[in-house]
Amino acid sequence: MAHLLVSGGAGYIGSHTVRSLQRAGHTVAVIDDLRSGRAAAVVGAPLLRCDVGDAQRVPDLLGRYGPFDGVLHFAASIEVAESVRDPLAYYRNNVIAAANLVRASVGHGCRAFVFSSTAAVYGHPEKQPIGEDEPLAPINPYGAGKAMVERILADVEQAYGMRWAALRYFNACGADPDGDLGECHDPETHLIPLALEAAAGLRPALSLFGTDYPTPDGTCVRDYVHVSDLAQAHVLAIEGLLADGPGGAYNLGTGQGRSNREVLETIGRVIGRPVPFSEVGRRPGDPPELVADARRFRHDFGWEPQHSDLETILRTAWSWLQTWRHL
Ligand SMILES: NC(=O)c1ccc[n+]([C@@H]2O[C@H](COP(=O)([O-])OP(=O)(O)OC[C@H]3O[C@@H](n4cnc5c(N)ncnc54)[C@H](O)[C@@H]3O)[C@@H](O)[C@H]2O)c1
């Protein structure tokens, strides 16, 4: 069993992963400055309140709470549009702070590092579904920063031997089936929670951006992967790296695309309430389709998504929203 450091473990995907790591028998410490996470989401692990970019405190905490076999790095700023408005803030938090954590991890002898990357590293890809060998062509600072950290990790492995995996998530969604963890971003920018909140009357009608894309129903197509399946993928990734298995960059998705309109219709059916929405123009920067070819990760790590059918995603997300917003 391994002793692991999870940065951003008070956030959405990180908190689900902490739970999965603990269930797999590993011990965990969380480093998070709670700029967007929730302390209540960290259970059964010490919460070290610290900015991962803090070059003095991070090595000190690794020394005090370690030695850690591996690190899982989720902490980041996550809004694409904000990254365009304020690129320096994004490069500072998503690249410089990440490099600080990588440096401390190498310095303390960590053997493996799992990094939260994103489909945004591909920009507007030519081919669908997208394989890992498609060129990296990010179109915003958020995606560019993630690609830079992947490169840093590859160089670090070459030089110092720390193993790495970058997991390029497509659309993370859903909530823990136990009902006590879920997504609570502020501001929320993801389709499913926005649509559920609109259906619940917590916000005005949803804006459906773009209905003239070259897709079957004219709306954007995305690949939705349940957060518990992402969490399990992290368990497999860190265990595989620590056992000297394969590493590198991997897509995480289901390989199945769902259109925005399909998601809204399915919500109406699953929760028994229609989603109020109005059709508006395209949002700049949205590719028509982003669907993962995730066969490489399935093959190398034996990953099988268990919760990523759209109905389970929507049911768990709805159940979490009802708990969280006291509906
Ligand atoms: N949510 C998605 O659909 C999605 C898709 C692709 C990639 N990702 C990536 O996955 C990771 C987790 O995303 P999420 O949706 O769980 O985000 P989140 O905002 O819920 O969690 C991020 C956590 O990191 C913490 N944090 C941020 N900067 C920090 C810093 N400098 N020091 C310490 N703590 C810090 C926040 O307080 C928060 O708890 C991010 O790296 C994100 O870029 C998310």
Side-chain angles (χ1 to χ4, degrees), residues 24-248:
H26 304 296
T27 55
V28 174
V30 167
I31 182 167
D32 196 305
D33 65 4
L34 300 183
R35 70 182 62 194
S36 64
R38 296 182 313 127
V42 180
V43 179
L47 170 57
L48 319 177
R49 289 189 65 165
C50 176
D51 182 341
V52 293
D54 187 324
Q56 265 79 48
R57 285 193 65 213
V58 168
D60 178 53
L61 290 172
L62 264 87
R64 264 203 282 158
Y65 290 87
F68 293 102
D69 300 296
V71 175
L72 298 100
H73 178 45
F74 295 90
S77 305
I78 65 164
E79 281 173 60
V80 170
E82 189 183 48
S83 81
V84 175
R85 289 195 301 273
D86 193 358
L88 288 175
Y90 270 68
Y91 288 123
R92 188 182 59 202
N93 201 37
N94 291 7
V95 181
I96 298 171
N100 184 56
L101 183 62
V102 170
R103 188 175 62 99
S105 305
V106 170
H108 279 82
C110 298
R111 291 187 289 125
F113 196 100
V114 178
F115 170 60
S116 297
S117 190
T118 168
V121 296
Y122 297 112
H124 286 204
E126 302 255 304
K127 278 194 261 160
Q128 300 290 338
I130 308 162
E132 289 86 352
D133 297 330
E134 280 299 298
L136 301 191
I139 56 163
N140 49 60
Y142 173 74
K146 294 286 185 180
M148 287 176 197
V149 175
E150 291 191 6
R151 175 60 199 258
I152 290 171
L153 288 168
D155 290 343
V156 162
E157 179 172 36
Q158 282 289 319
Y160 315 110
M162 185 171 73
R163 305 295 320 285
W164 67 286
L167 305 184
R168 297 174 179 161
Y169 320 147
F170 280 59
N171 285 56
C173 52
D176 190 290
D178 287 356
D180 57 341
L181 288 178
E183 188 167 12
C184 33
H185 293 128
D186 182 21
E188 187 53 77
T189 57
H190 296 132
L191 177 70
I192 291 174
L194 287 174
L196 290 173
E197 287 174 17
L202 296 172
R203 62 171 69 238
L206 180 93
S207 298
L208 177 58
F209 293 110
T211 52
D212 60 348
Y213 286 100
T215 57
D217 67 18
T219 63
C220 286
V221 170
R222 295 290 180 266
D223 185 336
Y224 292 93
V225 54
H226 194 286
V227 65
S228 298
D229 288 331
L230 290 180
Q232 182 57 20
H234 287 77
V235 175
L236 296 171
I238 195 75
E239 289 177 347
L241 292 173
L242 289 172
D244 277 332

Side-chain angles (χ1 to χ4, degrees), residues 7-18:
S7 84
Y12 172 45
I13 307 171
S15 62
H16 287 78
T17 302
V18 168

Side-chain angles (χ1 to χ4, degrees), residues 269-291:
R269 195 158 35 76
V270 169
I271 73 166
R273 299 188 195 189
V275 178
F277 68 92
S278 54
E279 297 182 6
V280 295
R282 293 183 184 196
R283 192 170 52 177
D286 276 342
E289 191 172 347
L290 288 175
V291 176

